[in-house]
Amino acid sequence: MLKKIFAYIFSFAILFSVSACNSDVSLSAKETAKKMGVGINLGNTMESTYSSNKNDWVAVVGNNTPTDYETCWGAVKTTQEIIDGIKSEGFDTIRVPVFWGNMMQDDGTYTINSEYAARVKEIVNYCQNAGLYTVINIHHFDEFIIRRHSTEECKEIFTLIWTQIAEYFKDYPYTLLFEGYNEYLGGGRLNEKREVVDLPLEEGYEMTNILNQAFVDAVRVTGGKNSDRVLIVSGYWTSVDHTAAPEFIVPADTADDRLMVSVHYVDNAFYWMNKIGGEEWSEYVDKQIDLLSKAFVEKNIPVFVGETAARYPEANFDSSVSDKNSAKYVGIMLNKLIDSGCVPVIWDVNDNFYSRTEYRIKSNEDRSMISEIQQKLHNS
């Protein structure tokens, strides 16, 4: 009897946490973005693969089980406790990158393996149970396919894959979002020597626009909640400059105000130039965000910054910065993005920013920073 009571209480708690996110109410992309707050990636986990340019097909890892792929890049097996900890530490959104090609037969049908799909579903369920907005995408498999196929072939392949994913999750709450691809739209193809040859810019944009439209069309036609689920279309290389350019076309959609656009690392150039934190960095970030605002946010198309820095190593700071406090400057970046109407999602891997064995943000400074942002969001 007690087990039944506890099971009832647990089930009610799950339903309450998910309903608190308005999971069964179709919100506009702008309304959804506001509720998504700050997010974190479950990186180097379900997107892990050992496929390379030398492979004609996806490489087999270990015994070819979902766990082999989930852990082959150093991640621990994902549990409900890990995801619950992410929620309790102040995150409202989790991005779960997924390869999808792992365990897939090389028979030309691009049929997702049922065991692999079931494991993705289990992880999505953990996220929904925790009351997190959840984003799943095609991650790295997009690169694998694009490098080996023409744009028309890619359109057919990704339509097949997204139709399967969308059917599998079509009755899931609106707190589940689909992101079409990772960051390879517009990317190059392999030549006979297995070397990547860059595409002309015009051809890259054509590919980007065609594949984003194929993604939206494939999802919408499956019906159910997919008819008006918020979808995230990927930018050209997820580059701010390329994506904010007029050549990038936001797909036509049968649902009104249900699209976001994805870019990555607003300050990427300054990270690699070791100029984080200086006045030039701050001005550059503001200009990049302004580009995104004018191109999308002001048109009621929120920007999903699917990957942004979790930490700034001391070596990457500008020489003019005396206080090389990573949490301080990550906080500045996150606040700038949130204030502009963007959804920032920290790129994180196992035991980096968040510990998947202790279920907590590792650094007290990082924890305080996320907590302050969370308080600001809840008071706004």
Side-chain angles (χ1 to χ4, degrees):
M1 183 65 181
L2 282 174
K3 287 184 178 179
K4 289 184 178 179
I5 292 172
F6 284 130
Y8 174 79
I9 293 171
F10 181 67
S11 298
F12 178 79
I14 289 173
L15 287 171
F16 178 78
S17 66
V18 174
S19 64
C21 293
N22 294 317
S23 60
D24 289 319
V25 178
S26 177
L27 301 175
S28 70
K30 184 177 180 179
E31 291 168 328
T32 300
K34 190 172 182 180
K35 290 179 175 292
M36 290 174 75
V38 62
I40 192 169
N41 277 268
L42 192 72
N44 287 11
T45 306
M46 293 311 294
E47 86 280 20
S48 303
T49 177
Y50 278 111
S51 301
S52 71
N53 291 343
K54 296 179 181 179
N55 296 106
D56 289 323
W57 188 241
V58 179
V60 173
V61 173
N63 295 316
N64 201 34
T65 69
T67 301
D68 288 315
Y69 297 97
E70 183 175 354
T71 60
C72 71
W73 282 2
V76 297
K77 188 173 180 180
T78 310
T79 63
Q80 185 69 64
E81 289 78 11
I82 290 171
I83 304 302
D84 288 344
I86 287 172
K87 177 65 176 178
S88 67
E89 286 288 67
F91 295 99
D92 288 318
T93 294
I94 185 166
R95 181 173 181 253
V96 183
V98 185
F99 189 75
W100 296 108
N102 291 327
M103 301 176 65
M104 184 182 284
Q105 292 295 314
D106 182 15
D107 59 4
T109 67
Y110 296 92
T111 302
I112 297 169
N113 180 276
S114 59
E115 290 180 60
Y116 187 83
R119 178 54 181 157
V120 176
K121 182 178 182 179
E122 192 170 29
I123 293 173
V124 169
N125 287 346
Y126 295 158
C127 300
Q128 292 292 289
N129 292 346
L132 288 161
Y133 279 90
T134 311
V135 178
I136 56 174
N137 70 355
I138 296 177
H139 200 106
H140 295 319
F141 197 39
D142 53 350
E143 178 180 324
F144 185 91
I145 297 299
I146 288 170
R147 286 186 172 182
R148 291 162 177 79
H149 296 275
S150 69
T151 294
E152 280 305 308
E153 289 169 336
C154 288
K155 178 182 176 181
E156 293 179 13
I157 293 166
F158 290 129
T159 296
L160 285 170
I161 295 172
W162 267 115
T163 299
Q164 294 174 73
I165 299 168
E167 285 283 359
Y168 200 66
F169 289 102
K170 74 176 181 181
D171 295 322
Y172 265 62
Y174 289 111
T175 46
L176 175 64
L177 286 69
F178 301 149
E179 178 188 29
Y181 312 94
N182 180 35
E183 54 188 22
Y184 203 72
L185 291 192
R189 297 194 175 97
L190 297 175
N191 62 17
E192 293 179 355
K193 297 180 181 180
R194 295 281 176 166
E195 300 166 332
V196 178
V197 179
D198 292 338
L199 297 179
L201 202 60
E202 182 179 349
E203 189 176 341
Y205 274 113
E206 181 183 32
M207 175 211 290
T208 300
N209 297 332
I210 287 173
L211 296 187
N212 272 329
Q213 188 67 64
F215 157 60
V216 172
D217 291 345
V219 173
R220 293 293 184 229
V221 79
T222 60
K225 287 188 172 64
N226 291 338
S227 297
D228 54 358
R229 185 183 305 282
V230 172
L231 304 180
I232 304 171
V233 295
S234 303
Y236 186 120
W237 274 109
T238 60
S239 153
V240 172
D241 296 290
H242 282 335
T243 305
E247 291 83 359
F248 177 85
I249 299 174
V250 176
D253 191 11
T254 54
D256 293 330
D257 300 325
R258 295 298 187 276
L259 296 181
M260 296 186 189
V261 170
S262 176
V263 297
H264 291 174
Y265 299 103
V266 171
D267 63 345
N268 194 44
F270 277 68
Y271 182 94
W272 296 112
M273 290 190 296
N274 301 330
K275 288 188 174 183
I276 295 297
E279 185 176 342
E280 193 179 1
W281 167 78
S282 183
E283 291 175 354
Y284 176 80
V285 169
D286 289 342
K287 288 178 181 177
Q288 292 288 95
I289 290 175
D290 187 57
L291 282 176
L292 295 171
S293 295
K294 289 177 179 176
F296 306 112
V297 179
E298 292 176 7
K299 300 174 183 176
N300 288 324
I301 303 170
V303 174
F304 180 77
V305 186
E307 296 179 17
T308 192
R311 282 209 179 94
Y312 293 125
E314 284 194 19
N316 295 94
F317 277 87
D318 188 83
S319 59
S320 66
V321 179
S322 57
D323 178 16
K324 296 178 172 61
N325 183 318
S326 175
K328 173 183 175 180
Y329 290 94
V330 170
I332 290 172
M333 170 62 73
L334 295 177
N335 276 297
K336 282 177 179 286
L337 291 170
I338 291 168
D339 290 345
S340 70
C342 297
V343 180
V345 186
I346 287 172
W347 176 257
D348 195 34
V349 299
N350 191 63
D351 202 36
N352 180 40
F353 187 87
Y354 171 84
S355 169
R356 300 186 197 172
T357 54
E358 297 180 356
Y359 318 132
R360 66 192 295 270
I361 294 173
K362 295 179 68 174
S363 159
N364 288 332
E365 289 182 330
D366 289 333
R367 179 182 296 104
S368 296
M369 177 264 295
I370 295 295
S371 177
E372 287 173 8
I373 291 174
Q374 187 66 270
Q375 289 174 23
K376 168 186 169 181
L377 287 169
H378 286 177
N379 291 331
S380 63

